[in-house]
Structures are given as C-alpha cells and as structure tokens.
Amino acid sequence: MTMTETNFDPATVPGLLAEQRGGGSALIYRGRKWSYAELEELSRRVAAGLRARGVGPGDRVGIWLPNCPAYVLLYFACARLGAVAVAVNTRYRSVEVQDIIGRARCKALAFWPGFRGIDFAGTLDDVDPAVLARLGFLIIHGEEGEGALGNPAPEGVEAVAFQALTDAQAMEEDLSTPESQCNIFTTSGTTKAPKFVLHKQSVIVRHARDVARGFGYDAADARVLQTVPLCGVFGFNQYLGTVAGGASSVMMSAFEAEEAAGLIREHRITHTCGADDMADRLLAVSDEARPLPSLRHFAYAKFNAALVDIVERAEARGLTLCGVYGSSEVQALFSVQPADAPADQRKLGGGIPVAAEASIRARHPETGEVQPHGEPGELEIKAPSVMVSYDGNDEATRAVFTEDGYFRTGDLGYSCGDGSFVYLSRAGDVLRLGGFLVNPAEIEAHLLTHEAVGGCQVVGAETGRGTAAVAFVTLKPGAEADEERLWGHCKGALAGFKVPARVFVIDAFPTTESANGTKIQRGKLREMAQRWLGKTATSGGGTR
C-alpha cells in the first residue's frame, strides 16, 4: 500500500510531518526560516533524488552530519522511502565510520566536508576501499560561504551533491508503513564494537507524540533550541518531539554558549535540553539576575559530577532544570522530573515516563527478585518506545528482554509507588563493599564537599580481600590537597566499608565524546585503579 501527499498514515514519520504542513515556522537555522510545508516539499524532493539512485525500502543511508537542514531532510526522505537512517557521529574517525557503514550495510553516506575544518575527506581516505566500494554513492553537503571544495570523495566512489537531490521533482508516493524500520543508533561501545539499536516508524512516532505532551513542546508558544546533536537519541528525540508538537526548532550545528544565549533571547526560546555543563556555560554568559527569562524548561542529563549545585544555581537565576532518563534502546526523554518538584528531586535522573502505560520495576542483581518500591536494583522497562532489536545480533537482543517482555536496562535505580522511578547509576558501576551494595555516587558526593576537590569519580578494583573502592579526584584551580587529607575527609564521615582504599589526585578524567555529550570513561578509570593499586591488588595487603 502506498500513501499520497493528501492521504497519510499518522503512525508513520512522513505522516507525522504531514500533519504539521498547515502550521507556521518549523525550522530556523543561521537566520533562515522554513515552514513545515516547505520541509515536507523539500524532503519529498530529496526522496525522489535518492530513489532515482536506487535507494528503496529497507536500504540503509548513513547520515554523518551535524545539526543542519540537510540532516532533517535526509531523515524524512529516508522515512518516505521506507529506508533506514543510520546515525554516524561527526566526531567518529576512520575505524568507527568503517565499522558502522560496513556492518550496517549502508547504500549511501552523507557528509559535510567543510564543517568546522574537520578532515572528513581524509577520514574516508583511511576507510578500507572494499567497504567504500559497497556504498552506492556519497552525498556531499556544503553551505554558503565555504568556497569550492572540489570532489572530496575517495577515488572510485561516486559523489552526489546534496543540492542535486533537492532539485529533483517531488516524490508523490509514500512507501513508508508503521512497521517500516527507520532508525539505527549505535550504543556507547567500550572495548567491543557498539551494538546497532533498530527502531521502526510507529514506535518513533508514538514516542515523539508522548515527548511533545510530556515536555510541553505542544504549547502554543513553544520554541525549542536544538543544539544537542541529531545523531544521538537525546537530540533526535528532542527534534521529533518538536515536530510532533508543531513547535519551531531553532537549530545550531554546534553549541557555543554566547551564540546559544543570543538565540534564546532573539527567538524567545521556551525549551531546550542538554548536559549539565551546557546549562552551566549558558548561565556564565551573563551576570544578569535572570539572563534567559523566556527559557522555562531545560531537560538536563547529569554528566559532570562536579556540578552538584547546578539545579539550585539555575533556579536562583530563573531557569528550571529537570532531570531526565533515556537510552538508545528505550529512546531519550523517556521520562522527566516534574518542573514544580523541589530542586533535590529535579536533579535526579528518572522521573515520570512520558508514556502513560510505561511500566518500570527494579530487580535485585543477585537474587533475581523484583524489588519493592524504593529498593534499588537493575531497572527493567516495558514501554511503547522500546527498540525492535539489536540489528544483526539476535543473541544480544534475546539477552536483554525478560520472558514477560521487559527490557533489561543495565542501569541501577528504584521504582516509586506513583509510577515514577529514580535512576542512580549504571549497574556495572555499583560496588559490593563489606558485604553491602554501594552506589559510588554516594562516596563521590562526599569527596566533592572537600573545599579543594573540583571533580570526583569512584570505581572498584579487585584485591585479595575483595572489591575495594578507589577514588580519582581533580582539584579546583589553585587548590592543594594530598591523598592523606582526602582520605581523612572520608574516614571521618563515611562508614568504614565505604572509605576508599586509595584516593588518587589526577589532572583530568579520561573522557569520550558521544552524540549526547562528553562522558567520563569509567572503564579506563577501573583499569587505572587496578594497575595503580599494584601489590595491594594482587597480594591482599591493605594500604590503610
């Protein structure tokens, strides 16, 4: 069955866009505005251009672009064709790009060779020619003022200008269905290759509608600042929620605090989302008591443990930060803390699911028993936003679903009696110390109360006596503190089994750039802790 432009299925991505065609401003980017009708028309042109080059239902198209209208148009075009948009982070380099486009079997790859001076063409030159040869073509995007780029495609690979796709005659047919696969996101891989999270159109659309209602993107005056990258679920789900709500999206290709603050004031932005450090940088732009008066809701993810008071500081300056929860598998903005809740609650991850029928429970990691409300365990979720599968990995897919259909998140948290829940940490980060399960965030929070400590991460290392807590701290500029002082700070306040075996002062934490923000590599810290404990870790001796 095919759908025409006047007869669309509301459970498909093209249908979601078509519903808004009578609305006003849809996208504002670098001073230019597009209506929803214009976006739909252009996306149908891009779909026709892709179709003429052999892209059809089930084919995969890699989108290796920052936030820009081309990303949006390619996504909607792929959806109209029943094709799958494969998200590729612009920070990825040759090994990662090769792995993704190869394993995902991409038929095309779109990129912007002139973006921020990054050598995308050089990255492609380092990709295995055999992998590139399996691509049908490359889509080359560019924007005004960049100058001539020549042909940035590797030798022997066809290059098509994105503009050539928009010049095609608009495609009338809609090849999408609610069951059409439409998105692949990569998980945060560590030592292993990332898994490919696969979603279908009806699930993406349903969640977009829930996000619009749950976050207020359907309000008549809603205007959303889109700065989190579309290649990750955090940014993608924000954007699709904006479309579902019919709101205007003001888009930035990369976050710059002063520019973002200017856009918020110019366009009277009401909503945005991002990491805690983004909120911190926005507040630092101005000394005004209330620098961003139109911005009434900031959905934030807690990535920087040092910003322990960011919710309170933001509130004191008229900005409401609300903790959220999400993942590639259940989608971002899955839940949110109420905007009228106290600051202590709003700084917690989790909150109220945006889907009314969502069910969350916690299971004890050792006994396997479902925990009563308030007792921590591994979070399990059943909700309409959950993925179809890990693409090409049936074994991994089976492993993360329970017999009664719940998704095992790998996160530690607890359910609440009112249907909400609290996220505490990754389950793998939880430590068994002295026979007790301990959330390392509790130890981190105490070390951060020391006047010299600017940041803290606590991980576990194995010794002859079991697991030991090991703390890594960074100091505030100009501050001084040695291990003995910091250890004593813990000794005097924490239960003995929570006191770290060692406290290492380091210059900076190892980090990785993900599509959703900068994350600390706790796995590397665990490796460092195990190595630095030295004889203590192998002999069973103690340091204290």
Side-chain angles (χ1 to χ4, degrees):
M1 177 182 177
T2 61
M3 310 293 291
T4 68
E5 63 173 318
T6 56
N7 179 27
F8 56 83
D9 190 328
T12 66
V13 172
L16 182 72
L17 180 61
E19 282 184 353
Q20 306 299 344
R21 67 165 69 106
S25 175
L27 181 62
I28 301 171
Y29 176 78
R30 295 187 173 183
R32 182 179 173 186
K33 296 182 180 181
W34 288 263
S35 69
Y36 276 105
E38 288 174 314
L39 285 186
E40 189 193 20
E41 167 73 12
L42 285 169
S43 71
R44 291 196 293 116
R45 289 179 179 272
V46 175
L50 292 175
R51 191 183 192 188
R53 289 164 177 82
V55 178
D59 288 331
R60 278 88 185 280
V61 175
I63 306 182
W64 190 27
L65 291 170
N67 292 356
C68 59
Y71 196 119
V72 170
L73 296 174
L74 279 166
Y75 177 73
F76 286 125
C78 286
R80 177 170 286 271
L81 291 167
V84 181
V86 179
V88 187
N89 193 330
T90 55
R91 291 189 172 96
Y92 286 169
R93 292 299 170 255
S94 56
V95 172
E96 298 150 314
V97 172
Q98 175 177 305
D99 174 61
I100 291 172
I101 65 176
R103 281 199 291 135
R105 308 179 304 281
C106 288
K107 198 163 189 175
L109 176 67
F111 74 109
W112 179 355
F115 176 64
R116 294 175 71 89
I118 301 172
D119 189 12
F120 291 95
T123 297
L124 283 181
D125 284 336
D126 291 334
V127 171
D128 185 346
V131 173
L132 291 177
R134 291 195 289 271
L135 283 172
F137 57 99
L138 290 169
I139 302 166
I140 312 299
H141 175 59
E143 296 192 354
E144 291 183 25
E146 291 181 338
L149 292 169
N151 184 358
E155 185 177 351
V157 182
E158 180 188 2
V160 176
F162 177 74
Q163 184 62 48
L165 300 180
T166 63
D167 289 341
Q169 185 172 348
M171 179 177 168
E172 297 294 335
E173 287 181 291
D174 182 354
L175 304 181
S176 67
T177 73
E179 296 301 307
S180 296
Q181 299 172 358
C182 61
N183 284 78
I184 285 179
F185 296 102
T186 55
T187 60
S188 299
T190 52
T191 57
K192 297 181 180 179
K195 294 187 285 291
F196 292 167
V197 179
L198 180 65
H199 287 282
K200 63 181 181 180
Q201 294 206 20
S202 60
V203 169
I204 290 290
V205 169
R206 165 61 198 274
H207 186 59
R209 299 186 193 283
D210 287 337
V211 167
R213 288 189 295 269
F215 285 79
Y217 299 163
D218 58 352
D221 65 340
R223 295 181 181 86
V224 183
L225 179 66
Q226 179 76 42
T227 186
V228 180
L230 293 166
C231 60
V233 287
F234 201 6
F236 173 81
N237 290 130
Q238 180 195 24
Y239 179 70
L240 260 286
T242 303
V243 173
S248 296
S249 175
V250 179
M251 186 170 288
M252 300 179 68
S253 59
F255 177 73
E256 298 290 347
E258 289 192 10
E259 180 185 355
L263 290 172
I264 290 170
R265 289 189 287 264
E266 177 185 356
H267 297 286
R268 300 188 302 282
I269 297 294
T270 58
H271 297 74
T272 194
C273 69
D276 42 13
D277 60 350
M278 175 180 154
D280 186 53
R281 289 165 63 189
L282 276 174
L283 291 172
V285 168
S286 169
D287 292 332
E288 296 176 53
R290 190 175 181 185
L292 305 168
S294 67
L295 188 58
R296 59 177 179 255
H297 194 276
F298 191 120
Y300 92 104
K302 185 163 59 175
F303 289 157
N304 188 338
L307 297 174
V308 292
D309 62 344
I310 185 61
V311 173
E312 291 87 351
R313 287 194 291 112
E315 184 174 44
R317 302 184 68 189
L319 179 57
T320 301
L321 267 61
C322 298
V324 295
Y325 176 83
S327 69
S328 297
E329 291 90 345
V330 304
Q331 301 191 63
L333 307 183
F334 173 85
S335 62
V336 61
Q337 295 290 358
D340 59 356
D344 283 347
Q345 180 179 342
R346 285 187 284 111
K347 65 172 55 178
L348 298 174
I352 301 172
V354 294
E357 64 269 52
S359 176
I360 297 93
R361 66 193 184 193
R363 188 181 298 276
H364 195 285
E366 295 179 353
T367 69
E369 296 295 320
V370 173
Q371 298 282 69
H373 296 311
E375 292 295 322
E378 181 186 4
L379 293 172
E380 297 179 345
I381 289 174
K382 182 184 286 187
S385 64
V386 176
M387 68 175 186
V388 173
S389 66
Y390 291 123
D391 186 55
N393 196 336
D394 293 341
E395 181 180 355
T397 302
R398 288 192 296 270
V400 295
F401 284 100
T402 65
E403 290 184 359
D404 56 348
Y406 279 77
F407 171 71
R408 298 184 174 106
T409 66
D411 292 330
L412 182 75
Y414 56 88
S415 62
C416 304
D418 61 357
S420 67
F421 69 102
V422 171
Y423 163 81
L424 296 172
S425 69
R426 288 293 295 169
D429 294 337
V430 177
L431 308 177
R432 178 168 282 282
L433 304 174
F436 299 93
L437 290 176
V438 177
N439 183 359
E442 183 180 351
I443 306 172
E444 293 164 0
H446 178 69
L447 275 165
L448 285 166
T449 64
H450 191 285
E451 60 185 8
V453 174
C456 180
Q457 294 288 310
V458 173
V459 297
E462 296 308 313
T463 74
R465 296 180 178 178
T467 302
V470 177
F472 292 89
V473 302
T474 58
L475 302 181
K476 295 176 181 177
E480 295 183 0
D482 59 17
E483 180 177 15
E484 198 65 32
R485 284 179 59 195
L486 297 173
W487 185 83
H489 182 68
C490 296
K491 179 69 174 176
L494 299 177
F497 63 88
K498 296 180 183 177
V499 177
R502 297 293 304 271
V503 182
F504 295 111
V505 178
I506 60 177
D507 293 333
F509 300 118
T511 60
T512 184
E513 297 289 345
S514 77
N516 299 317
T518 302
K519 296 184 180 181
I520 294 172
Q521 294 180 300
R522 293 178 67 88
K524 285 193 175 181
L525 289 175
R526 281 189 283 269
E527 293 173 4
M528 291 164 59
Q530 196 69 59
R531 185 169 65 251
W532 291 2
L533 279 181
K535 293 181 180 179
T536 302
T538 56
S539 68
T543 58
R544 303 290 177 185

